[in-house]
Amino acid sequence: MASEGELRQRQHTSQTPATTLTTPNQQAGPSPEAANVHDVRDPRQDLTLMIIVFACFTLMTSLFQTLDQGGIYFCTRALCALISFIFLVVALGHFLQPIEFVTGGIDLSTTGTSGLAEIRAYYFGTATLVSWLVGLKGAISTDVNDHNFALSAILVVLGGFAVARVYSRFKDGPADDPTATLIFASEIVGCIAAFGLRQGRA
């Protein structure tokens, strides 16, 4: 038979709540499953965006089809003037203040002088070219062929931006900066407007 001391020891053990030992590795951070929660893509966002794009495409193409040649002429020059101005602002902003002006969640505060020079050179040169080309051919010129060229240039530039963003979403995941979605939406709207005006001239 067990002694009185052994009985007391057993009672004390049974009444003590069980504790779980945690190793230092377990306290280091969340589990891999928890860390990947934010990487899960919500298909509802893609579906909503597709619906919005389709609605904008249908609305704007229907609107442009109701315009006569005078209305298409005016809208073409107005769109080209707007796109030219936006790219001019982008060029000057990245040239003068690249750290403050860059968008899309990119932090250039730790970039060296060579990196800032590359940002200035690439954005200023490319955006200035687009601004000059679209402004000259689409907003200033009165030639219909120049207008068609400017609209095609808008389609190529903004369409290229949009395709790259869609590929990046499926390749790397959703954008972590809210402004990226707004920029993407504006690029889609610009493409639809250029396409509708281009088709109205056909």
Side-chain angles (χ1 to χ4, degrees):
M1 295 179 62
S3 63
E4 183 178 355
E6 292 177 349
L7 292 175
R8 291 180 180 177
Q9 182 66 25
R10 292 177 182 177
Q11 291 177 356
H12 176 74
T13 303
S14 62
Q15 293 175 358
T16 302
T19 58
T20 303
L21 296 178
T22 304
T23 62
N25 293 333
Q26 292 175 329
Q27 295 176 351
S31 62
E33 293 78 9
N36 293 331
V37 169
H38 299 289
D39 296 335
V40 178
R41 299 167 185 162
D42 188 358
R44 293 176 297 179
Q45 296 180 358
D46 297 329
L47 179 60
T48 302
L49 185 60
M50 291 176 60
I51 294 175
I52 293 175
V53 169
F54 180 76
C56 290
F57 177 80
T58 304
L59 178 63
M60 296 185 72
T61 51
S62 300
L63 175 63
F64 290 142
Q65 288 177 356
T66 61
L67 297 176
D68 56 10
Q69 291 301 315
I72 293 177
Y73 179 85
F74 173 81
C75 290
T76 298
R77 299 188 69 180
L79 176 65
C80 291
L82 177 62
I83 297 297
S84 176
F85 174 76
I86 291 175
F87 273 90
L88 179 61
V89 172
V90 170
L92 294 177
H94 285 86
F95 181 79
L96 298 175
Q97 298 291 339
I99 297 178
E100 293 80 4
F101 198 83
V102 71
T103 58
I106 303 174
D107 184 11
L108 296 180
S109 59
T110 59
T111 303
T113 55
S114 297
L116 292 178
E118 289 298 320
I119 293 294
R120 284 190 171 99
Y122 178 79
Y123 276 96
F124 181 73
T126 305
T128 301
L129 172 62
V130 175
S131 176
W132 171 77
L133 187 63
V134 174
L136 179 65
K137 295 291 187 178
I140 298 177
S141 176
T142 58
D143 192 311
V144 175
N145 293 326
D146 288 343
H147 291 176
N148 290 336
F149 181 84
L151 292 174
S152 298
I154 294 174
L155 276 172
V156 171
V157 173
L158 298 185
F161 289 164
V163 169
R165 294 184 191 279
V166 171
Y167 174 79
S168 180
R169 174 171 177 80
F170 287 99
K171 177 69 174 179
D172 308 317
D176 54 3
D177 188 352
T179 59
T181 303
L182 297 178
I183 295 174
F184 175 70
S186 64
E187 291 165 354
I188 292 296
V189 171
C191 286
I192 294 174
F195 178 79
L197 291 171
R198 190 73 172 80
Q199 290 297 108
R201 291 177 172 275

